[in-house]
Amino acid sequence: RALAGWRRTRRVRRCPPLPDFVLWALVGVLISEKSFTTAIACLIVFNCLLRPTEITKLTWHHIHINHLSGSALITLPNTKIGQRKQMIENVVVRDPILFKILNWGKNRFPPSSPLITSKNFNKTLKSILKILGVHHIPFQPRSFRRGGATFLYSQNMDLENMDIGSCRLKVF
């Protein structure tokens, strides 16, 4: 029975990591189109190494701003690991630019409004990549997480801290 799963053949869908310069170009287009929450969602996924399903479950209620420390805490509802281990995961945002953007958004959008839906994420990503002229590269929503990890690695973050790069905490 354990070996039965190995006999299944499934085509592997590869997607490259999203480079940081493509992220910033994408965010620039989104801001010019006044899609502020989508731009913020893209920055969060990249910087905090979130899975696409994690960002689509977030509302502004899940984002907590700490002005004293200049950081933000994002509570992640129903994560893959959180469900397995029956715990709530959090992400700490220490990037000063993303902190300012989150603080701005927290003061402007209703707490219950989602940052982005999964349908909107896929659709928006495809249309913006076409505008940028890189639609021939098979970027997917999970390319943000891979791109963020690649960027952190290129900034000499050691592999032991790569898990911490996703800033996962059991308690706050």
Side-chain angles (χ1 to χ4, degrees):
R1 183 174 159 183
L3 298 175
W6 289 4
R7 290 189 201 117
R8 290 187 211 136
T9 55
R10 207 168 42 167
R11 193 177 75 145
V12 176
R13 290 180 51 201
R14 303 227 183 259
C15 71
L18 188 78
D20 61 318
F21 63 88
V22 175
L23 169 76
W24 287 108
L26 191 115
V27 167
V29 172
L30 289 167
I31 290 171
S32 72
E33 294 182 349
K34 301 204 182 327
S35 297
F36 300 117
T37 57
T38 304
I40 293 168
C42 290
L43 289 170
I44 292 172
V45 172
F46 187 89
N47 283 291
C48 297
L49 308 180
L50 299 187
R51 293 177 180 89
T53 56
E54 293 170 345
I55 194 68
T56 58
K57 295 175 185 175
L58 285 184
T59 64
W60 286 100
H61 171 74
H62 296 107
I63 299 171
H64 311 281
I65 303 295
N66 185 333
H67 293 283
L68 293 175
S69 67
S71 64
L73 176 77
I74 302 174
T75 302
L76 301 173
N78 302 321
T79 63
K80 184 177 176 180
I81 302 298
Q83 288 177 344
R84 284 185 193 156
K85 296 187 177 185
Q86 296 184 356
M87 64 182 199
I88 296 173
E89 289 191 284
N90 299 293
V91 176
V92 176
V93 175
R94 291 188 178 92
D95 179 83
I97 295 171
L98 185 53
F99 169 76
K100 288 179 182 179
I101 292 169
L102 290 174
N103 189 35
W104 175 86
K106 183 84 172 163
N107 293 321
R108 281 170 181 67
F109 300 104
S112 62
S113 67
L115 272 72
I116 192 165
T117 63
S118 59
K119 183 179 179 181
N120 192 20
F121 196 14
N122 293 325
K123 183 180 173 185
T124 302
L125 180 61
K126 286 180 184 179
S127 68
I128 302 298
L129 291 174
K130 192 168 188 173
I131 290 170
L132 295 175
V134 292
H135 58 283
H136 60 284
I137 302 172
F139 292 123
Q140 301 288 323
R142 62 183 183 269
S143 295
F144 287 86
R145 180 178 165 116
R146 292 177 181 185
T150 301
F151 177 76
L152 289 174
Y153 183 76
S154 73
Q155 301 299 306
N156 297 320
M157 177 176 264
D158 63 27
L159 290 175
E160 283 186 26
N161 289 327
M162 193 60 75
D163 284 339
I164 297 169
S166 66
C167 310
R168 300 304 171 99
L169 303 173
K170 291 183 182 178
V171 292
F172 182 69

